[in-house]
Each structure stands twice: as structure tokens, then as C-alpha cells.
Amino acid sequence: MRPSHLLLAVLVAAVWGVNFTVIEIGLDHFPPLLFSALRFLAAALPAVFLVGRPKVAWKWIVAVGLVLGVAKFGLVFVGMDAGMPAGLSSLVLQIQAVFTAVIAAAVLGERPSRVQALGMLVALGGIGVAAVDEGTSGPLGAFLMVIGAAAAWGVSNVLTRKASPPDALNFMVWVSTVPVLPLLALSLLTEGPAEDLAALRALDWQGTGTILFVAWVSTVFGFGAWGWLLRRHPASTVAPFSLLVPVFGMSSAALFLGESVTPLRWCAAALLVGGVALTTLTPARRSTVPAATATATATVTVTVTVTADEGEPVAVPALLRPRP
């Protein structure tokens, strides 16, 4: 990888890590569900008129939009608004790699290797340490919301794998059109029109800046650059940079928000990042191909990295893809 490409990969990881700090600031200006709806609206417009028509079936765009946009990001924003720290959120969400591997094994028949299974156990140990740390210093309910968000992210990863979009930026821009109305409806029902209107009337440069950052810098630039790198380098070369996201997330939260990083949290970070690395960067075991189909297809082991919105890449565990 050229030095300029390496710097771009680090920059994208930094943008996605800092994004959590920006979200925390934005939550001081907007109710969480309204904020999430506005960021998807800004990400979709005017980009949807510039990226061309969708390149996958609408069923995949709608499915990923609901699971990723409404369930995953709705839970993240509500959880952070309920007290989940920004830095810890950037770390805990990495458990999505374990959920992805488990769901892919159940739905796609992609069996994890022994090393990947070990990585899952290590990552789960990191989550346990983080839960102990958060349980003694913050609301455990908010922590569980972010875990639920990671599970929804795992489902969306598998859906994205099935959709196999040829253009990640095109796909994410169209996916961003789906959650806007459901999130607005949920905001009106749970947060109330009075609170939403008050937030919009009080909109200032800082609130506007947070929306533009999470929509244009994190989503449009981030996913555009990440997709550009994946088209020029093997996924196994690009994927490891995703492990820098919680490093930048925790560092920026400590620097700009004054969040403390306890020894337990550092321990959780080491276990979780190490476990995710084992889970995502090692080959999966080959599936057994029935004799009747062995003549039609052959299997090869590949590592696929799928990007998803909200400032983090999705490092999907090594998957088996049939090739002619």
C-alpha cells in the first residue's frame, strides 16, 4: 500500500472514531431519534441525486435501511443519550464482528475456524470486563442498548453480504433514504413534537456542524474513501485499519469530552480489539461441498470487509464465496 493510501486509511479510521465524540456533542442539541433522522436525511440529500440509480434490489436497500438505520443507530443514539460514554460506545460496538460471525454461521453456513472461535471468546471477555466497568460507573441499561445495536449491526452485515453491492457508496446513500421517515415517526411518538420543534428552533452553528459531520464527513467521505481503498487493495490489507476506530474514539472522547479511561476499560479494549482481530483477520474453515454440487462450483476462502454507516467499518469475518 502506498504511503498516501495508508494515510487515507488511517484518516478514515480517525474520522469514524472522532464521529462518536461529535455524536455526543450533537445529543446536547437534539433528541436522539430526531438527531439520527436528520443525519440520515443530510447523508441522503443531495447525494442520492449524484450517485446514480441503486445497483442492488430494493428489498436489500429497505432491509438494511431498517435494520442498520432504524434499529442499530436508533439504539446507539438512544443509548448514548441515556449515558453510554462516547469512547466506550466506539469500543463496545466492535463486538458486531462476533454477532456477524455467529449469524453468518447460522444463516450462510460459514463455519468459523478454531482461531476465530477463540477470538470470539476473547472479545466476549472484553465485553464482560467493559460491562463490569460500566456497571460500577454508569447506567447498565444504556450499555445493553449499545450491545443490542451491535447485534443489529451483525444482522445488517449478513444482509449486506447477501446483497453484495458493487458500489459501497451508492449502496449506503440509498440505504440512508430508508430510515428517515421511520425515525421521524418514532421521534414524534416517543420524544414528542414539542421537543422536536424546540430543538429545530434552537438550531445553531454547532448543532448544524454535528449533523454535517456525521452525514457528509463520516458517511459520504468515509465510505467513499473506504470503498476506493477496497477497490485498489485486498480486503485483508484494508480491514486491519478498522481496529484503529476505538483507539481514536476513546482518545478523542478523553481529549474533547473529558471522559476518563479506567484500567478496566483499557483491559476491555485490549481484549476486545485482540479478539476482533482474531475473528476478522483469520481464514474461515472451508465448507463441505456435496458431491452433487462439487462439479458446479468450487469454494475459496476470502476476507470481505463491508462498510456500514455511522463512522465504523464492518470487518466481516472471512467468508466463503462460490466462484465459477
Side-chain angles (χ1 to χ4, degrees), residues 60-113:
W60 299 118
I61 292 174
V62 172
V64 174
L66 292 176
V67 175
L68 182 71
V70 178
K72 187 258 183 177
F73 288 116
L75 285 170
V76 168
F77 279 51
V78 172
M80 290 180 65
D81 186 64
M84 183 68 171
L88 187 59
S89 297
S90 72
L91 175 66
V92 169
L93 275 173
Q94 299 306 312
I95 198 65
Q96 56 80 23
V98 174
F99 284 114
T100 300
V102 172
I103 296 168
V107 176
L108 304 178
E110 294 161 353
R111 297 183 301 161
S113 66

Side-chain angles (χ1 to χ4, degrees), residues 17-315:
V18 172
N19 192 56
F20 286 91
T21 296
V22 177
I23 291 171
E24 187 71 41
I25 295 171
L27 289 171
D28 291 334
H29 297 264
F30 308 99
L33 294 176
L34 176 64
F35 185 23
S36 188
L38 292 175
R39 62 78 54 106
F40 279 115
L41 179 63
L45 298 176
V48 73
F49 299 109
L50 304 175
V51 297
R53 300 179 58 148
K55 294 179 170 56
V56 299
W58 269 103
K59 65 179 181 179
W60 299 118
I61 292 174
V62 172
V64 174
L66 292 176
V67 175
L68 182 71
V70 178
K72 187 258 183 177
F73 288 116
L75 285 170
V76 168
F77 279 51
V78 172
M80 290 180 65
D81 186 64
M84 183 68 171
L88 187 59
S89 297
S90 72
L91 175 66
V92 169
L93 275 173
Q94 299 306 312
I95 198 65
Q96 56 80 23
V98 174
F99 284 114
T100 300
V102 172
I103 296 168
V107 176
L108 304 178
E110 294 161 353
R111 297 183 301 161
S113 66
R114 291 181 179 179
V115 175
Q116 286 179 313
L118 175 62
M120 293 180 202
L121 291 176
V122 172
L124 289 173
I127 288 297
V129 173
V132 171
D133 180 52
E134 184 63 12
T136 59
S137 60
L140 188 58
F143 181 89
L144 294 177
M145 287 184 190
V146 177
I147 294 292
W153 195 359
V155 174
S156 73
N157 289 343
V158 175
L159 291 172
T160 303
R161 167 77 171 92
K162 295 286 287 183
S164 298
D167 185 335
L169 179 61
N170 173 281
F171 181 66
M172 289 310 305
V173 168
W174 281 102
V175 163
S176 296
T177 66
V178 176
V180 177
L181 292 180
L183 285 170
L184 283 175
L186 287 172
S187 178
L188 290 172
L189 288 173
T190 61
E191 295 162 349
E195 187 175 356
D196 288 352
L197 287 173
L200 293 174
R201 287 171 179 164
L203 185 64
D204 57 12
W205 67 269
Q206 191 177 58
T208 302
T210 60
I211 294 174
L212 295 181
F213 185 93
V214 298
W216 291 356
V217 180
S218 177
T219 302
V220 178
F221 165 74
F223 291 107
W226 194 259
W228 186 87
L229 289 169
L230 286 172
R231 287 193 294 271
R232 286 159 178 79
H233 301 282
S236 58
T237 301
V238 180
F241 290 94
S242 68
L243 299 178
L244 294 175
V245 171
V247 175
F248 285 110
M250 295 176 70
S251 300
S252 63
L255 181 62
F256 296 109
L257 302 177
E259 289 185 4
S260 61
V261 184
T262 64
L264 272 180
R265 195 162 297 180
W266 280 120
C267 179
L271 289 171
L272 189 52
V273 171
V276 169
L278 288 174
T279 303
T280 60
L281 303 180
T282 54
R285 287 185 291 179
R286 295 172 182 267
S287 297
T288 302
V289 181
T293 60
T295 57
T297 62
T299 59
V300 295
T301 303
V302 298
T303 302
V304 178
T305 297
V306 180
T307 53
D309 202 1
E310 187 52 33
E312 313 101 37
V314 184

